[in-house]
Amino acid sequence: MNKHLFFSLALLITCCTQIVNAQDTLRLENAITTALKNNFDIRLVYNDVIIAKNNANIGNAGMLPTLGGTFSDGGSRQNTTQTRSTGAQVEANGVRNTNSSYGAALDWTIFDGLQMFTNYERLKELKKQGEAGAKSTILSTVSDVVAAFYSVVRQQKLVRATDSAMVVSRLRVVIAENKLQIGRGSKLDVLTAKVDFNTDTTTYLQQKNTLNTSRITLNQLMARDLNTIFAADEKFEIESDMKLAELEAQTMQMNPDLQYAIINKRLAELNLKSVKGQRYPVVAVNGGYQFSRSASPTGFTTRQRADGFTYGLTANLNVFNGFLQRQNERNAKVQISSSEMTLDKTKQDVTALLISTYQNYLTNLDLLKVETGNVDLAKQNLDITFEKYRLGSISPLELREAQRNSINAIIRFLDAEYQAKLTEINLKEVSGTLKVQ
């Protein structure tokens, strides 16, 4: 009987191993690379960064002249009747009048209270703001990918754990049936064993479905075929030596939300500078070339032609606009105050998130140590209990209880392992140190 039992166990484990090996193995690095290349949110935010980068130029800031060209050509064909001062009338039918012109005009604002330079600085800050927003999206997406990847790892291990529980339950059915055949067991033990086996089979099938759902989520984040079947590489380590002081320093320097708030404050300051620039005159120079030609056979001047250069200097000064200038400056100062408060609030929120996540990280590390020992103890207890059950020295209920304790210990261990890794990822995301390559 022992050979039969161990042969069945070995056969089931071999089948499970072959199924895993038949699937493509996905490494975390490959998952991140694929997501960075394909993820729709990242691709969209990259487009926003490109637009902000294209906009950050001196021409868009108004520092360069504008040059335009004009051309027109037209005419008319008319029947005319003219009465001279002498009373004589002159009639002409089908008189053709023509006129044409072309030219070029140059306009260049050479001084506007330094607003053009402020605009250029604002465009560069908007470019930085776009990059900070892109970094936030990338970190968030990579964090989601890593979390989803380790979720698949966790579900894979849970599938194996529920599968092993089903194997034990199947062997228990075989033992109960053999005992019944030799007169040492009861029909009730066989039925109970089969019910427990069916229960474990249901749990196993539900766990496989959860694994498939986790794969779909990861495939979605990588923006690839949702039906792709793969096995996640289960080799990973949890960093257990992260220091809060180092994380706080890194957060102040690299957190994208803080960078975004700092840039917002800088934009508010530039807005005030631009508003103050409206107190000064706007000086512009202009020049151009113009050519025109016209013909009117019935006029006093039958033909006219003119060409030449034009030039000029213009200046505009806002003397009074109903106190709007003072109002705009006051509002701009309020915006600066609001941006400073937003920056302080963001610092506090990010720091609070970092500290609370770090406390969870330490707790999860402690739980992981405890649950690691519990798994070993529960496994030893199940092995001993199963051997006693096989020899007939304990009841099926005691075996079932040991089996439940073993699977629960494994589940708690995998949960602690996953949560410890998840809080590690969250700490790196908040501090801006999560590797994206």
Side-chain angles (χ1 to χ4, degrees), residues 113 115 274-281 317-318 325-326 329:
Q115 292 183 69
S274 179
V275 171
K276 286 184 176 180
Q278 296 174 8
R279 289 182 174 273
Y280 298 92
L317 177 62
N318 176 26
Q325 178 65 32
R326 184 175 62 179
E329 290 183 11

Side-chain angles (χ1 to χ4, degrees), residues 96 282 315:
R96 185 169 179 265
V282 177

Side-chain angles (χ1 to χ4, degrees), residues 87-201:
Q89 288 188 342
V90 179
E91 295 184 359
N93 295 324
V95 176
R96 185 169 179 265
N97 301 314
T98 62
N99 59 78
S100 62
S101 66
Y102 60 84
L106 174 72
D107 294 294
W108 191 1
T109 300
I110 58 176
F111 181 78
D112 62 352
L114 303 179
Q115 292 183 69
M116 63 181 72
F117 298 97
T118 303
N119 287 338
Y120 185 46
E121 290 299 318
R122 182 180 64 84
L123 291 172
K124 290 192 290 186
E125 291 298 325
L126 287 174
K127 175 184 166 227
K128 294 179 183 178
Q129 190 178 61
E131 292 171 347
K135 181 181 178 182
S136 177
T137 300
I138 291 171
L139 285 177
S140 177
T141 302
V142 171
S143 177
D144 291 341
V145 169
V146 176
F149 181 88
Y150 288 121
S151 176
V152 173
V153 172
R154 173 171 169 266
Q155 299 303 331
Q156 287 177 174
K157 294 180 178 180
L158 284 172
V159 166
R160 287 203 299 273
T162 53
D163 178 68
S164 65
M166 189 172 62
V167 170
V168 172
S169 296
R170 177 57 185 164
L171 295 178
R172 177 183 158 198
V173 171
V174 174
I175 293 174
E177 289 176 341
N178 290 336
K179 287 183 177 181
L180 179 63
Q181 291 177 1
I182 63 176
R184 293 180 54 193
S186 66
K187 183 66 174 178
L188 179 60
D189 290 342
V190 174
L191 294 176
T192 302
K194 288 183 177 181
V195 170
D196 290 340
F197 172 74
N198 290 337
T199 300
D200 292 341
T201 302

